Amino acid sequence: MNENNPIASQVEQNTNLEAQSQTVDVQASNEQQTQEQVQVTSEQTAPIEQQVSGEQQLVDEASQAVSGGSQVVSQTESAQSETVLSQPQQETALQREQRRNKRARLMQAFAEVKAAFQENKPIEVNVYARVRGGLRVFYKEAPLFLPASHFHLRHSPTDEELMEVVGKNLLVMVHEIQEYDEGSMAVIVSRKKLLEEEFWNNLKVGQIVEGKVSSVASFGVFIDIGGAEGLIHISRIAPYRIDNLKEHFKIGDTLKAVIIEVDKENKRIGLSRKELIDASTWPATEEKYGVGTKHTGIVRRIVDFGAFVELEPMVEGLLRTSEISWTKRLRRPNEVLKVGDKIEVVVTAFNAEKKTISLSMKRLQENPWPTLHEKYPLHSIYEGKVIQVVAQGCVVSISPELDGFLPRSKMKKILKGNKIPLKQGDKIKVYISEIVPEEESVILGLVEEEEENPRQENPKRQPNPKTYETKPLSSGISIMDMLSDQEKENLLKSLKK
């Protein structure tokens, strides 16, 4: 420093101060991130401007009092040095402190998350945003991820359901933690376990629930009642019999049911619809099912004497075997019907008091008996097939539409004692013996071979014409000699006969 020239000395000091200020600024910028560097650079401008102003002031003061210049320079140097050095150092320390505090809070939050995971305890998080695959949530300072598949008991919630919870707090369980070498941590949380516990704890026997049909099996119907499936067994579907569930229910149908069993350990729920259906009220009315009304029904049960036909839920009618066909002699209805068949019927009787309906199939068609003889004349011959053998005779089918009865009295020539020598499936030739429209009956006769083709006489059993020889009398005159020629011819003819 040049002591003889205060102004030059002051300029040299100012230059040194600028160098010191730049050195301090470089050190601060190396410790801070890029954003802090920009802030420090802007803050360096203020001390430099203060230095320039200070230089002008020192020049003025030096012209007034040179002797006091050194003291003024010394005071100015100290003040400027403090201004240049202390301000950046104070802001950098504050930012560092904030950064350290934020990291400390983050590490504390992750530590609490890890402890909750180890102790299997729930934590409360705030939903920050809807992101791909789920939700971004925060536990205090710690960012976490809630997958969509763990948001609800259902596997795939809708996007609307996910958006509705943004900004809200949720209770979750820590599902998985992955720690990395650099100290960072990825955490996946889930709501499933908490929702499952809440769901099963709230289920009570006797509670009425509602859900959509998720599948239909031969033994029952499964419905989704809020993330878990319950089974309505076929025996609990209704107070009436249902044989084919797929004809009554389909996937997506909404049903109400009563909880009859809760097995939390095996995650099973038993349901029933019987209790929700009033079986005491018969839905059939005479107005709807009066005599002569026609309906489409489903064969639900087959018995020896007929078939029960479902006309609507809780409404069945009886179709007796005799009411199936006008002209076929059926032993049992399963010869032409099977369970599940859809058939057209007409009501022949309705009794509201007994809750019974009688049905007929054949009466949907015109009665053919009054004119049957025109199509099947008496004594016309047919090749028939034995379809049933009974003690009184045989039932014989003579066409796809007509069966007749061949009684024992028409089989005398083939009977072997009391046994009928025919069996089911035998083919025989019969003729129409009688038609009785009042009894809806056709009586058949057995065509014997000699009746169809008159029997030819056996030549071995036919008598041969005899040749008579005349012997002469002892006198040489025979009787023939005593007859005329006409008498001889007549006698010979009588002998030949």
Side-chain angles (χ1 to χ4, degrees):
M1 181 179 297
N2 191 346
E3 298 180 352
N4 297 325
N5 191 346
I7 295 176
S9 176
Q10 181 63 35
V11 172
E12 183 179 356
Q13 290 176 359
N14 290 342
T15 302
N16 292 337
L17 290 175
E18 289 180 14
Q20 291 176 0
S21 175
Q22 292 175 358
T23 302
V24 172
D25 291 341
V26 171
Q27 292 175 351
S29 63
N30 290 336
E31 295 175 354
Q32 296 180 357
Q33 297 178 355
T34 305
Q35 183 177 359
E36 294 173 343
Q37 292 175 353
V38 174
Q39 182 177 359
V40 170
T41 303
S42 63
E43 291 171 350
Q44 291 173 355
T45 307
I48 293 174
E49 292 176 352
Q50 291 177 1
Q51 293 171 12
V52 174
S53 176
E55 289 178 359
Q56 184 63 38
Q57 183 179 0
L58 289 174
V59 172
D60 295 339
E61 291 177 351
S63 61
Q64 294 177 3
V66 174
S67 59
S70 297
Q71 184 178 0
V72 172
V73 169
S74 177
Q75 293 174 353
T76 303
E77 179 181 357
S78 176
Q80 290 178 343
S81 178
E82 182 179 356
T83 301
V84 173
L85 293 176
S86 64
Q87 185 174 358
Q89 288 176 349
Q90 289 176 355
E91 292 180 353
T92 301
L94 179 60
Q95 292 174 349
R96 287 180 180 177
E97 183 66 21
Q98 291 176 345
R99 194 165 53 250
R100 282 195 297 267
N101 292 339
K102 184 176 181 180
R103 181 168 181 79
R105 291 194 302 271
L106 178 63
M107 297 308 295
Q108 178 61 30
F110 274 126
E112 293 176 8
V113 169
K114 193 171 183 180
F117 178 65
Q118 294 171 347
E119 298 174 7
N120 197 30
K121 291 182 178 180
I123 58 175
E124 187 176 31
V125 299
N126 179 262
V127 181
Y128 177 72
R130 168 78 166 97
V131 295
R132 181 179 180 181
L135 297 170
R136 173 64 63 194
V137 300
F138 276 85
Y139 174 75
K140 298 181 178 180
E141 299 289 336
L144 315 174
F145 179 60
L146 173 57
S149 59
H150 286 260
F151 175 78
H152 200 276
L153 287 178
R154 291 191 298 272
H155 182 70
S156 299
T158 63
D159 190 66
E160 290 75 11
E161 289 177 320
L162 294 176
M163 290 299 298
E164 284 179 0
V165 298
V166 173
K168 297 180 181 179
N169 292 342
L170 298 176
L171 204 62
V172 298
M173 297 291 292
V174 181
H175 181 70
E176 183 180 350
I177 295 178
Q178 188 171 0
E179 299 185 57
Y180 300 96
D181 295 338
E182 62 270 19
S184 60
M185 185 182 299
V187 180
I188 296 175
V189 295
S190 172
R191 297 179 69 213
K192 267 192 171 183
K193 186 175 180 180
L194 294 173
L195 293 176
E196 284 180 358
E197 290 180 358
E198 180 183 3
F199 174 80
W200 287 98
N201 289 335
N202 290 336
L203 290 181
K204 305 296 180 184
V205 173
Q207 178 182 352
I208 298 177
V209 294
E210 184 178 273
K212 291 188 175 181
V213 175
S214 56
S215 63
V216 180
S218 60
F219 54 86
V221 176
F222 290 91
I223 64 172
D224 184 347
I225 56 174
E229 286 186 331
L231 170 64
I232 310 175
H233 192 266
I234 187 171
S235 62
R236 309 292 305 182
I237 288 287
Y240 48 87
R241 182 182 177 87
I242 294 180
D243 293 315
N244 191 344
L245 294 174
K246 292 186 178 180
E247 293 180 354
H248 296 266
F249 306 98
K250 64 181 182 299
I251 295 175
D253 287 348
T254 300
L255 300 179
K256 286 186 177 182
V258 178
I259 298 176
I260 59 174
E261 181 185 3
V262 177
D263 186 349
K264 185 176 180 180
E265 182 178 354
N266 295 314
K267 299 292 188 290
R268 293 179 181 175
I269 305 170
L271 304 173
S272 173
R273 292 182 70 240
K274 273 188 173 182
E275 293 75 4
L276 302 180
I277 300 175
D278 185 5
S280 63
T281 303
W282 197 43
T285 62
E286 189 169 5
E287 181 181 359
K288 184 175 182 180
Y289 294 103
V291 175
T293 56
K294 300 176 182 179
H295 305 275
T296 299
I298 301 174
V299 177
R300 294 302 183 191
R301 287 180 292 153
I302 292 179
V303 293
D304 290 340
F305 54 85
F308 287 93
V309 181
E310 182 188 58
L311 304 175
E312 66 172 275
M314 296 181 63
V315 178
E316 284 187 349
L318 174 60
L319 173 64
R320 294 189 177 275
T321 306
S322 60
E323 290 295 326
I324 294 177
S325 173
W326 282 111
T327 56
K328 298 292 289 184
R329 286 177 173 261
L330 302 175
R331 291 177 296 169
R332 289 179 295 272
N334 59 8
E335 295 176 13
V336 293
L337 298 175
K338 64 180 183 296
V339 173
D341 283 350
K342 285 187 176 182
I343 58 174
E344 299 293 326
V345 292
V346 60
V347 176
T348 59
F350 177 87
N351 191 320
E353 183 179 354
K354 296 182 179 180
K355 299 180 181 178
T356 59
I357 300 176
S358 298
L359 305 172
S360 175
M361 285 179 64
K362 70 181 187 181
R363 298 183 190 279
L364 290 171
Q365 304 170 353
E366 185 179 355
N367 185 354
W369 285 101
T371 58
L372 193 66
H373 65 279
E374 297 177 1
K375 188 174 182 180
Y376 298 92
L378 294 180
H379 306 297
S380 56
I381 297 174
Y382 301 91
E383 183 178 53
K385 183 179 180 180
V386 177
I387 59 176
Q388 185 183 2
V389 179
V390 294
Q392 295 79 18
C394 298
V395 177
V396 181
S397 175
I398 64 174
S399 73
E401 66 176 357
L402 182 61
D403 295 339
F405 186 69
L406 177 63
R408 291 177 65 93
S409 60
K410 301 289 186 180
M411 296 186 287
K412 290 181 178 180
K413 292 187 178 181
I414 66 170
L415 290 177
K416 296 180 180 180
N418 292 326
K419 184 178 181 181
I420 299 176
L422 296 174
K423 63 182 183 297
Q424 186 176 353
D426 285 349
K427 292 184 178 181
I428 58 174
K429 286 194 175 181
V430 294
Y431 66 93
I432 304 292
S433 175
E434 186 180 2
I435 296 178
V436 186
E438 296 80 11
E439 299 178 2
E440 299 180 3
S441 177
V442 174
I443 306 300
L444 304 175
L446 185 63
V447 175
E448 298 182 14
E449 185 179 355
E450 61 270 19
E451 293 178 358
E452 183 183 5
N453 298 312
R455 189 191 307 175
Q456 299 294 327
E457 293 184 358
N458 190 343
K460 291 183 179 180
R461 304 181 65 178
Q462 292 180 355
N464 291 328
K466 291 183 179 180
T467 303
Y468 295 92
E469 296 180 357
T470 57
K471 293 183 180 182
L473 298 175
S474 57
S475 62
I477 298 174
S478 67
I479 296 177
M480 296 296 293
D481 293 335
M482 298 175 64
L483 300 175
S484 65
D485 293 337
Q486 183 64 40
E487 290 174 342
K488 290 179 182 180
E489 185 178 355
N490 293 337
L491 177 60
L492 290 174
K493 286 182 179 181
S494 64
L495 291 174
K496 289 180 180 181
K497 292 180 180 179

PDB file of all heavy atoms in Angstrom, residues 383-386 425-429:
ATOM      1  N   GLU A 383     -98.667-102.462 -42.075  1.00  0.00           N
ATOM      2  CA  GLU A 383     -97.570-103.137 -41.376  1.00  0.00           C
ATOM      3  C   GLU A 383     -97.268-102.321 -40.118  1.00  0.00           C
ATOM      4  O   GLU A 383     -96.834-101.169 -40.206  1.00  0.00           O
ATOM      5  CB  GLU A 383     -96.314-103.246 -42.243  1.00  0.00           C
ATOM      6  CG  GLU A 383     -95.198-104.008 -41.548  1.00  0.00           C
ATOM      7  CD  GLU A 383     -93.955-104.169 -42.421  1.00  0.00           C
ATOM      8  OE1 GLU A 383     -93.463-103.140 -42.925  1.00  0.00           O
ATOM      9  OE2 GLU A 383     -93.519-105.305 -42.614  1.00  0.00           O
ATOM     10  N   GLY A 384     -97.518-102.899 -38.981  1.00  0.00           N
ATOM     11  CA  GLY A 384     -97.355-102.193 -37.727  1.00  0.00           C
ATOM     12  C   GLY A 384     -96.152-102.673 -36.934  1.00  0.00           C
ATOM     13  O   GLY A 384     -95.535-103.690 -37.243  1.00  0.00           O
ATOM     14  N   LYS A 385     -95.831-101.900 -35.889  1.00  0.00           N
ATOM     15  CA  LYS A 385     -94.716-102.221 -35.006  1.00  0.00           C
ATOM     16  C   LYS A 385     -95.232-102.299 -33.581  1.00  0.00           C
ATOM     17  O   LYS A 385     -95.877-101.366 -33.089  1.00  0.00           O
ATOM     18  CB  LYS A 385     -93.632-101.157 -35.127  1.00  0.00           C
ATOM     19  CG  LYS A 385     -92.402-101.425 -34.295  1.00  0.00           C
ATOM     20  CD  LYS A 385     -91.367-100.325 -34.502  1.00  0.00           C
ATOM     21  CE  LYS A 385     -90.130-100.582 -33.676  1.00  0.00           C
ATOM     22  NZ  LYS A 385     -89.109 -99.522 -33.873  1.00  0.00           N
ATOM     23  N   VAL A 386     -94.925-103.396 -32.918  1.00  0.00           N
ATOM     24  CA  VAL A 386     -95.370-103.588 -31.546  1.00  0.00           C
ATOM     25  C   VAL A 386     -94.575-102.643 -30.640  1.00  0.00           C
ATOM     26  O   VAL A 386     -93.350-102.680 -30.616  1.00  0.00           O
ATOM     27  CB  VAL A 386     -95.179-105.043 -31.090  1.00  0.00           C
ATOM     28  CG1 VAL A 386     -95.582-105.200 -29.620  1.00  0.00           C
ATOM     29  CG2 VAL A 386     -95.986-105.985 -31.970  1.00  0.00           C
ATOM     30  N   GLY A 425     -91.096-104.200 -30.586  1.00  0.00           N
ATOM     31  CA  GLY A 425     -90.246-104.064 -31.754  1.00  0.00           C
ATOM     32  C   GLY A 425     -90.601-105.002 -32.888  1.00  0.00           C
ATOM     33  O   GLY A 425     -90.147-104.803 -34.021  1.00  0.00           O
ATOM     34  N   ASP A 426     -91.406-106.031 -32.609  1.00  0.00           N
ATOM     35  CA  ASP A 426     -91.818-106.954 -33.676  1.00  0.00           C
ATOM     36  C   ASP A 426     -92.675-106.233 -34.702  1.00  0.00           C
ATOM     37  O   ASP A 426     -93.486-105.361 -34.364  1.00  0.00           O
ATOM     38  CB  ASP A 426     -92.611-108.128 -33.099  1.00  0.00           C
ATOM     39  CG  ASP A 426     -91.707-109.134 -32.380  1.00  0.00           C
ATOM     40  OD1 ASP A 426     -90.474-109.021 -32.524  1.00  0.00           O
ATOM     41  OD2 ASP A 426     -92.241-110.014 -31.684  1.00  0.00           O
ATOM     42  N   LYS A 427     -92.501-106.623 -35.950  1.00  0.00           N
ATOM     43  CA  LYS A 427     -93.320-106.066 -37.024  1.00  0.00           C
ATOM     44  C   LYS A 427     -94.357-107.113 -37.448  1.00  0.00           C
ATOM     45  O   LYS A 427     -94.016-108.269 -37.729  1.00  0.00           O
ATOM     46  CB  LYS A 427     -92.455-105.660 -38.209  1.00  0.00           C
ATOM     47  CG  LYS A 427     -91.542-104.482 -37.904  1.00  0.00           C
ATOM     48  CD  LYS A 427     -90.758-104.038 -39.134  1.00  0.00           C
ATOM     49  CE  LYS A 427     -89.890-102.816 -38.814  1.00  0.00           C
ATOM     50  NZ  LYS A 427     -89.144-102.362 -40.012  1.00  0.00           N
ATOM     51  N   ILE A 428     -95.602-106.679 -37.480  1.00  0.00           N
ATOM     52  CA  ILE A 428     -96.698-107.567 -37.832  1.00  0.00           C
ATOM     53  C   ILE A 428     -97.649-106.843 -38.766  1.00  0.00           C
ATOM     54  O   ILE A 428     -97.682-105.603 -38.813  1.00  0.00           O
ATOM     55  CB  ILE A 428     -97.450-108.067 -36.589  1.00  0.00           C
ATOM     56  CG1 ILE A 428     -97.999-106.871 -35.779  1.00  0.00           C
ATOM     57  CG2 ILE A 428     -96.561-108.938 -35.714  1.00  0.00           C
ATOM     58  CD1 ILE A 428     -98.869-107.272 -34.608  1.00  0.00           C
ATOM     59  N   LYS A 429     -98.461-107.650 -39.490  1.00  0.00           N
ATOM     60  CA  LYS A 429     -99.468-107.074 -40.371  1.00  0.00           C
ATOM     61  C   LYS A 429    -100.820-107.126 -39.674  1.00  0.00           C
ATOM     62  O   LYS A 429    -101.236-108.162 -39.169  1.00  0.00           O
ATOM     63  CB  LYS A 429     -99.511-107.816 -41.692  1.00  0.00           C
ATOM     64  CG  LYS A 429     -98.318-107.501 -42.577  1.00  0.00           C
ATOM     65  CD  LYS A 429     -98.529-107.962 -43.999  1.00  0.00           C
ATOM     66  CE  LYS A 429     -97.365-107.512 -44.881  1.00  0.00           C
ATOM     67  NZ  LYS A 429     -97.556-107.934 -46.290  1.00  0.00           N
TER      68      LYS A 429
END
